[in-house]
Amino acid sequence: MTAIISAAQLASESAGPRPPVLLDVRWSLGGPPGRPAYDAGHLPGAVYVDLDTELAGPAGAGGRHPLPGVAAFGAAMRRAGVSAGTPVVVYDGGQGWAAARAWWLLRWAGHPDVRVLDGGLTAWTGPLSTDTPSPAEGDFAPVPGGMPLLDADGAAALADEGLLLDARAAERYRGDVEPIDRIGGHIPGAVSAPTTENVAEDGRFLPAEHLTARFGALGATEETKNVGVYCGSGVSGAHEVLALEIAGHRAALYAGSWSEWSSDESRPVATGPDPR
């Protein structure tokens, strides 16, 4: 089973005997909420899921997008019609970050069959709908632990003992600019690996062999035991975890990411292009 699905394959499965539950998680960093875009047109049968309120907990010491409470997340997924025995496909507007966050959360919470629509809504050539579905209540009960998770101490240790990738833009990693968080820079020892370099111009993921070569050059080889990822607040980092999954690596996500790390003035910060 792969972590992504093409638009053509999704159209075929949706018309088949076991159609997946579709979740629309359109969202943009600092932009308008995705609900108006959903109301204007979405994949037929798709249920809207809000990243800020259903795929994250309240912002605070744990970062801008800390993990949601397990019970609240489970309730949101059941309202959307998610059941343990039913495949799920998530999509966003094309960037892939929000969809990857939903994919990661469901996988972390124990759902066995979740995929991201490669290229998002922009890859879909079929009809759209403006109807708001009312799915039957699902039975999904989260059991955390299906994907590896890091806290701040774990991220610091991995930067020393394994491979910790920073999925943000290179200028934020270097500390040249920091438009959101308290201070710029990166976790000492982390390697710059912008998530934007995991996809082609059309927003689809690069072929698996290209991603394998990319991450291999960054230090993620067959011999690498532990790989972790962080970003600004745990959203684009999930996209990098997904790219690593395609490349054959099971990576841990530091969900609090830079928004949590940089909020604590006692934690060290490195700047410039070098990891340390």
Side-chain angles (χ1 to χ4, degrees):
M1 186 180 67
T2 181
I4 57 176
I5 184 171
S6 69
Q9 185 180 356
L10 176 58
S12 176
E13 290 190 14
S14 295
R18 192 168 176 254
V21 172
L22 301 177
L23 304 182
D24 184 313
V25 290
R26 275 178 279 182
W27 170 85
S28 60
L29 179 62
R35 183 70 198 220
Y38 170 86
D39 290 337
H42 51 266
L43 268 61
V47 176
Y48 179 71
V49 175
D50 184 73
L51 186 147
D52 289 316
T53 61
E54 295 178 300
L55 302 181
R64 286 193 307 280
H65 291 108
L67 298 187
V70 173
F73 176 65
M77 293 298 98
R78 290 190 294 274
R79 284 195 300 270
V82 174
S83 290
T86 305
V88 178
V89 172
V90 295
Y91 71 90
D92 57 26
Q95 188 180 43
W97 293 3
R101 170 74 174 213
W103 167 85
W104 186 90
L105 274 170
L106 279 163
R107 288 286 304 278
W108 170 76
H111 199 289
D113 190 352
V114 189
R115 289 165 292 172
V116 168
L117 174 58
D118 195 18
L121 188 64
T122 58
W124 180 256
T125 58
L128 298 179
S129 173
T130 56
D131 295 336
T132 302
S134 299
E137 182 91 357
D139 65 12
F140 178 62
V143 180
M147 294 287 280
L149 176 66
L150 295 171
D151 59 13
D153 290 340
L158 188 58
D160 286 334
E161 301 165 3
L163 177 64
L164 181 65
L165 300 177
D166 185 316
R168 298 172 301 156
E171 58 269 23
R172 292 184 68 192
Y173 171 89
R174 295 190 302 265
D176 299 344
V177 298
E178 182 44 64
I180 306 173
D181 294 311
R182 182 185 67 84
I183 190 172
H186 57 269
I187 297 173
V191 174
S192 180
T195 197
T196 51
E197 297 179 16
N198 296 326
V199 296
E201 290 184 2
D202 61 5
R204 292 179 174 88
F205 281 98
L206 297 174
E209 60 270 22
H210 292 196
L211 291 171
T212 299
R214 184 199 179 209
F215 291 122
L218 293 169
T221 66
E222 291 183 0
E223 291 74 35
T224 307
K225 299 297 184 183
N226 296 304
V227 181
V229 179
Y230 74 96
C231 58
S233 65
V235 177
S236 67
H239 189 273
E240 187 121 299
V241 171
L242 176 54
L244 282 155
E245 185 95 353
I246 296 169
H249 296 279
R250 178 58 57 89
L253 177 67
Y254 172 25
S257 285
W258 189 248
S259 60
E260 178 187 38
W261 182 277
S262 64
S263 68
D264 185 342
E265 295 185 17
S266 70
R267 295 193 182 108
V269 171
T271 57
D274 297 326
R276 298 198 178 276

